[in-house]
Short mmCIF file of all heavy atoms in Angstrom, two decimals:
data_model
loop_
_atom_site.label_atom_id
_atom_site.label_comp_id
_atom_site.label_asym_id
_atom_site.label_seq_id
_atom_site.Cartn_x
_atom_site.Cartn_y
_atom_site.Cartn_z
N GLU I 124 12.01 -47.14 -30.04
CA GLU I 124 12.91 -46.39 -29.30
C GLU I 124 12.84 -44.94 -29.87
O GLU I 124 12.94 -43.90 -28.96
CB GLU I 124 14.40 -46.87 -29.39
CG GLU I 124 14.59 -48.19 -28.59
CD GLU I 124 14.08 -49.34 -29.39
OE1 GLU I 124 13.55 -49.24 -30.55
OE2 GLU I 124 14.30 -50.41 -28.87
N ILE I 125 12.81 -44.64 -31.16
CA ILE I 125 12.63 -43.43 -31.73
C ILE I 125 11.34 -42.61 -31.28
O ILE I 125 11.43 -41.44 -30.90
CB ILE I 125 12.78 -43.40 -33.21
CG1 ILE I 125 14.16 -43.93 -33.66
CG2 ILE I 125 12.54 -42.06 -33.83
CD1 ILE I 125 14.32 -44.23 -35.16
N ASN I 126 10.25 -43.38 -31.35
CA ASN I 126 8.95 -42.81 -30.98
C ASN I 126 9.01 -42.28 -29.43
O ASN I 126 8.52 -41.32 -29.13
CB ASN I 126 7.88 -43.76 -31.15
CG ASN I 126 7.51 -44.00 -32.69
OD1 ASN I 126 7.91 -43.13 -33.49
ND2 ASN I 126 6.89 -45.07 -33.04
N ALA I 127 9.57 -43.20 -28.65
CA ALA I 127 9.74 -42.99 -27.15
C ALA I 127 10.47 -41.74 -26.94
O ALA I 127 10.16 -40.81 -26.07
CB ALA I 127 10.15 -44.20 -26.43
N TYR I 128 11.72 -41.59 -27.74
CA TYR I 128 12.59 -40.44 -27.61
C TYR I 128 11.72 -39.29 -27.94
O TYR I 128 11.83 -38.13 -27.27
CB TYR I 128 13.80 -40.75 -28.45
CG TYR I 128 14.74 -39.38 -28.58
CD1 TYR I 128 15.46 -38.98 -27.46
CD2 TYR I 128 14.62 -38.67 -29.71
CE1 TYR I 128 16.31 -37.89 -27.48
CE2 TYR I 128 15.41 -37.55 -29.73
CZ TYR I 128 16.29 -37.11 -28.56
OH TYR I 128 16.98 -36.09 -28.76
N LEU I 129 11.05 -39.24 -29.18
CA LEU I 129 10.34 -38.07 -29.57
C LEU I 129 9.16 -37.67 -28.56
O LEU I 129 9.00 -36.45 -28.36
CB LEU I 129 9.66 -38.35 -31.00
CG LEU I 129 10.68 -38.40 -32.16
CD1 LEU I 129 9.98 -38.86 -33.44
CD2 LEU I 129 11.53 -37.10 -32.35
N LEU I 130 8.48 -38.70 -27.95
CA LEU I 130 7.51 -38.38 -26.94
C LEU I 130 8.08 -37.70 -25.79
O LEU I 130 7.45 -36.80 -25.20
CB LEU I 130 6.87 -39.64 -26.64
CG LEU I 130 5.61 -39.52 -25.64
CD1 LEU I 130 4.50 -38.68 -26.23
CD2 LEU I 130 5.16 -41.02 -25.28
N LEU I 131 9.19 -38.24 -25.35
CA LEU I 131 9.95 -37.63 -24.15
C LEU I 131 10.38 -36.22 -24.57
O LEU I 131 10.21 -35.17 -23.78
CB LEU I 131 11.17 -38.49 -23.73
CG LEU I 131 12.01 -38.03 -22.60
CD1 LEU I 131 11.14 -37.84 -21.42
CD2 LEU I 131 13.16 -38.96 -22.43
N LEU I 132 10.96 -36.00 -25.65
CA LEU I 132 11.34 -34.65 -26.19
C LEU I 132 10.25 -33.64 -26.16
O LEU I 132 10.37 -32.53 -25.61
CB LEU I 132 12.23 -34.86 -27.44
CG LEU I 132 12.67 -33.51 -28.00
CD1 LEU I 132 13.71 -32.76 -27.05
CD2 LEU I 132 13.24 -33.66 -29.36
N GLY I 133 9.09 -34.15 -26.76
CA GLY I 133 7.97 -33.21 -26.88
C GLY I 133 7.45 -32.99 -25.42
O GLY I 133 6.98 -31.69 -25.19
N SER I 134 7.40 -33.89 -24.47
CA SER I 134 7.05 -33.58 -23.16
C SER I 134 7.97 -32.61 -22.50
O SER I 134 7.40 -31.64 -21.78
CB SER I 134 7.01 -34.91 -22.39
OG SER I 134 6.61 -34.46 -21.12
N MET I 135 9.24 -32.67 -22.66
CA MET I 135 10.17 -31.73 -22.20
C MET I 135 9.99 -30.23 -22.68
O MET I 135 10.09 -29.39 -21.92
CB MET I 135 11.62 -32.21 -22.39
CG MET I 135 11.99 -33.38 -21.65
SD MET I 135 13.63 -34.05 -22.03
CE MET I 135 14.74 -32.84 -21.52
N LEU I 136 9.78 -30.23 -23.98
CA LEU I 136 9.65 -28.92 -24.61
C LEU I 136 8.29 -28.32 -24.15
O LEU I 136 8.29 -27.08 -23.86
CB LEU I 136 9.58 -29.06 -26.13
CG LEU I 136 10.98 -29.47 -26.86
CD1 LEU I 136 10.76 -29.80 -28.36
CD2 LEU I 136 11.95 -28.31 -26.57
N LEU I 137 7.28 -29.13 -24.05
CA LEU I 137 5.94 -28.59 -23.54
C LEU I 137 6.09 -27.99 -22.01
O LEU I 137 5.71 -26.85 -21.80
CB LEU I 137 4.89 -29.67 -23.57
CG LEU I 137 3.53 -29.30 -22.91
CD1 LEU I 137 2.93 -28.02 -23.81
CD2 LEU I 137 2.53 -30.48 -23.03
N ASN I 138 6.81 -28.84 -21.22
CA ASN I 138 7.05 -28.45 -19.84
C ASN I 138 7.90 -27.03 -19.78
O ASN I 138 7.58 -26.15 -18.95
CB ASN I 138 7.68 -29.47 -18.89
CG ASN I 138 6.81 -30.55 -18.71
OD1 ASN I 138 5.44 -30.41 -18.71
ND2 ASN I 138 7.31 -31.85 -18.59
N PHE I 139 8.90 -27.02 -20.53
CA PHE I 139 9.74 -25.82 -20.65
C PHE I 139 9.03 -24.64 -21.21
O PHE I 139 9.16 -23.58 -20.59
CB PHE I 139 10.89 -26.06 -21.67
CG PHE I 139 11.88 -24.94 -21.80
CD1 PHE I 139 12.70 -24.56 -20.91
CD2 PHE I 139 11.76 -24.11 -22.94
CE1 PHE I 139 13.62 -23.55 -20.94
CE2 PHE I 139 12.62 -23.09 -23.15
CZ PHE I 139 13.51 -22.86 -22.13
N SER I 140 8.06 -24.79 -22.25
CA SER I 140 7.31 -23.73 -22.72
C SER I 140 6.25 -23.18 -21.63
O SER I 140 6.01 -22.01 -21.52
CB SER I 140 6.62 -24.01 -23.93
OG SER I 140 5.61 -25.06 -23.74
N LEU I 141 5.72 -24.06 -20.94
CA LEU I 141 4.89 -23.69 -19.87
C LEU I 141 5.55 -23.04 -18.79
O LEU I 141 5.06 -21.97 -18.13
CB LEU I 141 4.14 -24.92 -19.18
CG LEU I 141 3.13 -25.74 -20.08
CD1 LEU I 141 2.64 -26.93 -19.50
CD2 LEU I 141 1.94 -24.83 -20.42
N ALA I 142 6.82 -23.32 -18.41
CA ALA I 142 7.54 -22.56 -17.41
C ALA I 142 7.96 -21.15 -17.97
O ALA I 142 7.79 -20.17 -17.16
CB ALA I 142 8.83 -23.44 -17.04
N ILE I 143 8.16 -21.13 -19.27
CA ILE I 143 8.45 -19.82 -19.71
C ILE I 143 7.31 -18.88 -19.71
O ILE I 143 7.37 -17.67 -19.47
CB ILE I 143 8.97 -19.92 -21.22
CG1 ILE I 143 10.47 -20.63 -21.22
CG2 ILE I 143 9.13 -18.54 -21.90
CD1 ILE I 143 11.46 -19.85 -20.54
N ALA I 144 6.09 -19.52 -19.87
CA ALA I 144 4.86 -18.82 -19.92
C ALA I 144 4.30 -18.36 -18.60
O ALA I 144 3.29 -17.66 -18.61
CB ALA I 144 3.73 -19.55 -20.75
N GLN I 145 4.88 -18.80 -17.52
CA GLN I 145 4.35 -18.50 -16.27
C GLN I 145 4.41 -16.96 -16.03
O GLN I 145 5.31 -16.39 -16.42
CB GLN I 145 5.07 -19.27 -15.15
CG GLN I 145 4.71 -20.73 -15.10
CD GLN I 145 5.50 -21.35 -14.03
OE1 GLN I 145 6.56 -20.89 -13.41
NE2 GLN I 145 5.11 -22.59 -13.58
N THR I 146 3.31 -16.50 -15.31
CA THR I 146 3.23 -15.11 -15.07
C THR I 146 4.19 -14.73 -13.86
O THR I 146 4.32 -15.42 -12.91
CB THR I 146 1.83 -14.83 -14.62
OG1 THR I 146 0.83 -15.10 -15.58
CG2 THR I 146 1.71 -13.28 -14.22
N THR I 147 4.98 -13.59 -14.02
CA THR I 147 5.74 -12.99 -13.10
C THR I 147 4.94 -11.95 -12.29
O THR I 147 4.46 -10.99 -12.76
CB THR I 147 6.96 -12.42 -13.66
OG1 THR I 147 7.65 -13.45 -14.42
CG2 THR I 147 7.89 -11.79 -12.53
N ILE I 148 4.82 -12.17 -10.95
CA ILE I 148 4.03 -11.24 -10.07
C ILE I 148 4.99 -10.36 -9.32
O ILE I 148 6.05 -10.83 -8.78
CB ILE I 148 3.22 -12.07 -9.02
CG1 ILE I 148 2.26 -13.07 -9.75
CG2 ILE I 148 2.44 -11.07 -8.24
CD1 ILE I 148 1.18 -12.41 -10.60
N ASN I 149 4.81 -9.13 -9.37
CA ASN I 149 5.50 -8.11 -8.60
C ASN I 149 4.93 -8.09 -7.12
O ASN I 149 4.12 -7.13 -6.95
CB ASN I 149 5.63 -6.76 -9.32
CG ASN I 149 6.48 -5.88 -8.69
OD1 ASN I 149 6.85 -5.92 -7.31
ND2 ASN I 149 6.84 -4.77 -9.22
N HIS I 150 5.22 -8.89 -6.34
CA HIS I 150 4.53 -8.96 -4.94
C HIS I 150 4.60 -7.69 -4.17
O HIS I 150 3.66 -7.26 -3.51
CB HIS I 150 5.06 -10.22 -4.12
CG HIS I 150 4.77 -11.50 -4.77
ND1 HIS I 150 5.71 -12.11 -5.61
CD2 HIS I 150 3.67 -12.36 -4.75
CE1 HIS I 150 5.25 -13.20 -6.02
NE2 HIS I 150 4.01 -13.42 -5.55
N GLU I 151 5.78 -7.08 -4.18
CA GLU I 151 6.02 -5.93 -3.28
C GLU I 151 5.17 -4.68 -3.60
O GLU I 151 4.93 -3.78 -2.88
CB GLU I 151 7.58 -5.52 -3.25
CG GLU I 151 8.47 -6.51 -2.62
CD GLU I 151 8.18 -6.55 -1.13
OE1 GLU I 151 7.54 -5.57 -0.54
OE2 GLU I 151 8.67 -7.61 -0.42
N ASN I 152 4.74 -4.66 -4.96
CA ASN I 152 3.92 -3.51 -5.45
C ASN I 152 2.46 -3.83 -5.67
O ASN I 152 1.67 -3.13 -6.33
CB ASN I 152 4.60 -3.01 -6.72
CG ASN I 152 5.80 -2.22 -6.39
OD1 ASN I 152 5.67 -1.17 -5.80
ND2 ASN I 152 7.02 -2.68 -6.87
N ILE I 153 1.99 -4.93 -4.94
CA ILE I 153 0.46 -5.11 -4.86
C ILE I 153 -0.12 -4.06 -4.05
O ILE I 153 0.44 -3.77 -2.96
CB ILE I 153 0.15 -6.56 -4.45
CG1 ILE I 153 0.72 -7.56 -5.42
CG2 ILE I 153 -1.32 -6.76 -4.14
CD1 ILE I 153 0.48 -8.98 -4.82
N PHE I 154 -1.25 -3.46 -4.43
CA PHE I 154 -1.74 -2.30 -3.63
C PHE I 154 -3.28 -2.20 -3.75
O PHE I 154 -3.82 -2.99 -4.65
CB PHE I 154 -1.17 -0.96 -4.11
CG PHE I 154 -1.42 -0.60 -5.58
CD1 PHE I 154 -2.52 0.11 -5.88
CD2 PHE I 154 -0.63 -1.10 -6.53
CE1 PHE I 154 -2.87 0.39 -7.25
CE2 PHE I 154 -0.90 -0.88 -7.92
CZ PHE I 154 -2.08 -0.02 -8.23
N SER I 155 -3.75 -1.35 -2.99
CA SER I 155 -5.30 -1.32 -2.91
C SER I 155 -5.61 0.10 -3.69
O SER I 155 -4.87 1.02 -3.83
CB SER I 155 -5.92 -1.22 -1.52
OG SER I 155 -5.45 0.13 -0.88
N LEU I 156 -6.83 0.14 -4.31
CA LEU I 156 -7.44 1.39 -4.96
C LEU I 156 -8.84 1.21 -5.01
O LEU I 156 -9.36 0.18 -5.04
CB LEU I 156 -6.77 1.59 -6.31
CG LEU I 156 -7.23 0.64 -7.41
CD1 LEU I 156 -6.73 1.28 -8.77
CD2 LEU I 156 -6.37 -0.72 -7.34
N ARG I 157 -9.48 2.41 -5.11
CA ARG I 157 -11.03 2.46 -5.19
C ARG I 157 -11.79 1.60 -4.24
O ARG I 157 -12.65 0.80 -4.51
CB ARG I 157 -11.27 2.15 -6.67
CG ARG I 157 -10.89 3.16 -7.68
CD ARG I 157 -11.63 2.98 -9.01
NE ARG I 157 -10.93 1.98 -9.82
CZ ARG I 157 -11.24 1.42 -10.99
NH1 ARG I 157 -12.43 1.87 -11.51
NH2 ARG I 157 -10.52 0.55 -11.57
N HIS I 158 -11.37 1.65 -3.05
CA HIS I 158 -12.12 1.00 -1.85
C HIS I 158 -12.09 -0.51 -1.88
O HIS I 158 -11.37 -1.15 -1.08
CB HIS I 158 -13.51 1.47 -1.80
CG HIS I 158 -13.74 2.88 -1.41
ND1 HIS I 158 -13.20 3.39 -0.17
CD2 HIS I 158 -14.33 3.98 -1.95
CE1 HIS I 158 -13.58 4.66 -0.14
NE2 HIS I 158 -14.24 5.06 -1.19
N THR I 159 -12.71 -1.07 -2.85
CA THR I 159 -12.89 -2.63 -2.83
C THR I 159 -12.00 -3.24 -3.95
O THR I 159 -12.36 -4.24 -4.57
CB THR I 159 -14.28 -3.10 -2.95
OG1 THR I 159 -14.85 -2.37 -3.96
CG2 THR I 159 -15.11 -2.66 -1.62
N CYS I 160 -10.99 -2.59 -4.37
CA CYS I 160 -10.15 -3.10 -5.51
C CYS I 160 -8.70 -3.26 -5.06
O CYS I 160 -8.18 -2.67 -4.17
CB CYS I 160 -10.23 -2.11 -6.74
SG CYS I 160 -11.74 -1.83 -7.50
#
Side-chain angles (χ1 to χ4, degrees):
E124 290 79 2
I125 295 176
N126 289 337
Y128 173 76
L129 292 175
L130 182 63
L131 176 61
L132 179 62
S134 176
M135 291 174 62
L136 290 174
L137 176 62
N138 290 334
F139 178 75
S140 64
L141 288 174
I143 292 296
Q145 284 183 346
T146 299
T147 300
I148 305 291
N149 184 344
H150 297 92
E151 290 293 342
N152 283 296
I153 296 176
F154 63 92
S155 68
L156 70 163
R157 289 192 281 175
H158 291 302
T159 55
C160 296

